[in-house]
Amino acid sequence: MTPQEAIALVDSLLQSANKKQKLNDIQSRVFLQTWEGHSYQEIADRLLYEHDYIKKVGSHLWRNLSQIIGEKISKQNLQAVLRRYQHCSAGILPASEGDSSTQDWGEAIDVSQFYNRQQELETLKTWISGNSTRAIGIFGLGGIGKTSLSVKLAQQLQSQFEFVIWRSLQQAPPLDAILGDILPIFTGSSTAKNYSINALMEQLRQKRCLLILDNQESILQGGNRSGQYQQGYEEYRQLFARIADETHESCLVLTGREQPGGFAVRSGENSPVRSLQLFGISPPVCQKILADKGLKPTLLQCQNLVNHFGGNPLAIKLAATTIKTIFSGEIDAFLAQGNTVFSDLWDLLDRQFDRLSPLQQQIMYGIAINQERATPANLKAEILPKVSGRQLMEALQSLAERSLIFDELSLNYTASTSLMLQPAIAEYVKERWLEK
């Protein structure tokens, strides 16, 4: 359900209860901002209103909707309740003629422009088509294309499943909200009260379902050890473990910037749990992206951009806009001027960097500033003398699992391993260090 569809649904609900009633301008704006996951304080700051007034508008609206629907609505469960009401009042129809599967795409993005992840698609389809893979993780840096790949995969495999359900965890919904959203899709009824992991597992055993949960890093903690669940979200670990371990013919696909706890230990080549690390695109694909932006790059220029941004499609698209509008299409001039990380790309890296612990941030600064001498041994001796060897290796491993650092050979770090950052990430980290 898009925000506009949600607004239309709320308007119809209010008008059905009171023909003269409809969302006014401020209610519409508060509703949309809440739907996008903003707090009352953030909404107040954006709309230039007092916090208490915005809270009053929101509370009054949720109370009215609760009375009309017959179920308590709050900021936290708004999306889940409205989706469930829509499913059960209008029904869910097959998405395309001749396709017997029931599909609910949630807030899945448009992938009509999809840039050549054919090898990764074939790998994922092979894993799933054999009916033996119960859980798959697609992991990589923000902007690398995980969400697009998950949507395209579901589109291409929808005929193999009775149900296809795609959901985003970006706003960190509690597990009971997700279960309350998903289970009525299976049952076709909102009257059931058993929205539990047991109930979902029973449905996954009875029906073949492809369930995609995007942005799962949103339910994980930042900090020194990757994969740890936030307080109040530990039940997700139980859900993922049961889907991975119990016998059924459904498949869970997770996407995220890091693996959730308990996932890596279950993953393996001969296991029903598989992991795909998503890396950057190739120069020919970069050339296609730039051509679609109205640029005419050479393959060598594309190679330089891929090297600089680690082949990150989002970073390349953002750079293409700057190259066209500010540098008159001159890619070499853009790279030569030295400032390639700003605006949306800066914000993207900010969100990832802010999830790191102080120790991990210190390591990133150390690698960016001393790239020629960036080995675990030198970091320990010159920058982090008071940090134990165990703490250092845990932090390095966590940074690697988040795709923020790498070495030329492997992720099995030794004292002499040369640690590296992508050039764009190194530029960003140096700028942050200078700001400090």
Side-chain angles (χ1 to χ4, degrees):
M1 182 188 295
T2 66
Q4 290 71 29
E5 290 171 339
I7 283 282
L9 174 59
V10 170
D11 277 340
S12 68
L13 287 170
L14 293 173
Q15 288 177 314
S16 67
N18 181 347
K19 292 184 179 181
K20 295 182 179 180
Q21 190 172 15
K22 191 176 179 181
L23 288 177
N24 60 33
D25 180 63
I26 187 62
Q27 287 175 325
S28 295
R29 295 166 80 180
V30 170
F31 180 90
L32 287 172
Q33 295 282 323
T34 302
W35 187 270
E36 293 173 359
H38 297 293
S39 67
Y40 285 138
Q41 187 61 60
E42 289 172 334
I43 298 171
D45 293 342
R46 286 172 174 234
L47 302 183
L48 303 179
Y49 282 95
E50 293 293 330
H51 168 271
D52 289 347
Y53 175 70
I54 294 297
K55 183 177 180 181
K56 182 179 179 180
V57 170
S59 298
H60 183 263
L61 180 56
W62 315 145
R63 186 164 56 250
N64 284 349
L65 290 174
S66 299
Q67 292 172 353
I68 295 169
I69 293 178
E71 180 176 353
K72 182 176 174 57
I73 291 180
S74 65
K75 286 175 82 273
Q76 287 69 33
N77 69 356
L78 174 65
Q79 290 195 20
V81 173
L82 289 184
R83 282 202 183 101
R84 186 159 62 247
Y85 181 86
Q86 183 188 51
H87 299 330
C88 300
S89 62
I92 305 172
L93 300 177
S96 60
E97 188 176 349
D99 180 9
S100 60
S101 65
T102 297
Q103 300 162 31
D104 190 304
W105 295 94
E107 296 177 346
I109 62 173
D110 177 18
V111 291
S112 55
Q113 276 194 320
F114 184 76
Y115 294 100
N116 188 34
R117 287 286 189 181
Q118 200 56 44
Q119 182 176 346
E120 292 89 344
L121 271 174
E122 290 304 317
T123 297
L124 293 167
K125 287 159 68 175
T126 299
W127 289 348
I128 293 175
S129 297
N131 292 357
S132 60
T133 303
R134 299 191 285 261
I136 291 174
I138 303 174
F139 304 110
L141 270 174
I144 205 69
K146 304 178 295 295
T147 299
S148 297
L149 181 60
S150 73
V151 176
K152 181 62 71 172
L153 175 69
Q155 289 179 348
Q156 294 191 1
L157 289 180
Q158 58 191 18
S159 63
Q160 298 184 25
F161 291 88
E162 297 174 65
F163 289 82
V164 175
I165 301 172
W166 194 100
R167 286 291 181 269
S168 172
L169 301 183
Q170 188 169 19
Q171 302 302 331
L175 181 59
D176 58 357
I178 284 290
L179 294 174
D181 182 21
I182 290 174
L183 281 165
I185 301 174
F186 289 110
T187 63
S189 171
S190 62
T191 59
K193 299 301 181 184
N194 183 16
Y195 297 143
S196 65
I197 295 177
N198 285 337
L200 177 60
M201 292 307 303
E202 185 62 28
Q203 293 296 329
L204 296 182
R205 283 190 289 268
Q206 292 178 4
K207 305 167 176 109
R208 181 157 159 78
C209 173
L210 179 61
L211 173 61
I212 302 99
L213 298 179
D214 188 49
N215 290 118
Q216 56 81 32
E217 74 276 359
S218 300
I219 62 172
L220 303 179
Q221 298 178 21
N224 214 39
R225 299 186 67 178
S226 62
Q228 303 298 304
Y229 292 85
Q230 292 187 47
Q231 185 176 359
Y233 291 85
E234 295 87 351
E235 286 186 329
Y236 275 99
R237 176 192 285 272
Q238 181 185 356
L239 172 65
F240 298 159
R242 290 192 60 180
I243 292 176
D245 295 343
E246 296 182 16
T247 302
H248 56 83
E249 293 187 352
S250 295
C251 185
L252 167 69
V253 176
L254 296 175
T255 80
R257 299 178 187 179
E258 58 193 83
Q259 296 194 46
F263 200 91
V265 72
R266 291 177 167 85
S267 179
E269 290 188 8
N270 298 312
S271 167
V273 179
R274 307 297 294 267
S275 294
L276 177 70
Q277 188 71 28
L278 204 57
F279 297 105
I281 58 175
S282 65
V285 177
C286 174
Q287 195 170 37
K288 170 65 174 169
I289 291 175
L290 296 181
D292 287 346
K293 291 285 189 178
L295 301 174
K296 298 179 180 179
T298 66
L299 205 56
L300 178 59
Q301 289 174 323
C302 291
Q303 180 69 68
N304 291 336
L305 276 176
V306 166
N307 290 344
H308 187 78
F309 291 110
N312 188 300
L314 178 58
I316 290 170
K317 290 176 185 177
L318 296 172
T321 301
T322 302
I323 291 167
K324 185 175 181 180
T325 57
I326 299 179
F327 291 89
S328 302
E330 295 295 329
I331 295 173
D332 294 337
F334 168 73
L335 290 173
Q337 54 84 34
N339 294 306
T340 63
V341 180
F342 46 84
S343 299
D344 290 341
L345 181 54
W346 182 276
D347 293 341
L348 177 69
L349 292 174
D350 250 354
R351 288 193 294 273
Q352 190 132 341
F353 197 84
D354 288 341
R355 287 177 57 83
L356 303 181
S357 69
L359 172 58
Q360 290 171 334
Q361 292 183 0
Q362 189 68 22
I363 290 172
M364 294 287 284
Y365 291 137
I367 296 173
I369 295 165
N370 303 285
Q371 290 204 61
E372 293 182 0
R373 293 176 49 78
T375 66
N378 287 337
L379 287 172
K380 179 76 171 66
E382 300 174 10
I383 302 174
L384 304 164
K386 295 183 179 180
V387 174
S388 71
R390 176 186 62 80
Q391 291 174 313
L392 176 61
M393 299 310 287
E394 284 181 352
L396 289 174
Q397 190 64 37
S398 180
L399 289 170
E401 290 171 353
R402 289 168 168 149
S403 304
L404 288 170
I405 65 172
F406 66 98
D407 73 282
E408 293 180 313
L409 299 176
S410 70
L411 298 182
N412 297 315
Y413 297 115
T414 64
S416 60
T417 298
S418 181
L419 304 172
M420 305 175 69
L421 304 176
Q422 293 173 10
I425 293 178
E427 177 189 330
Y428 163 82
V429 174
K430 288 178 183 177
E431 286 290 332
R432 276 201 56 145
W433 183 78
L434 288 172
E435 287 181 359
K436 290 185 64 175

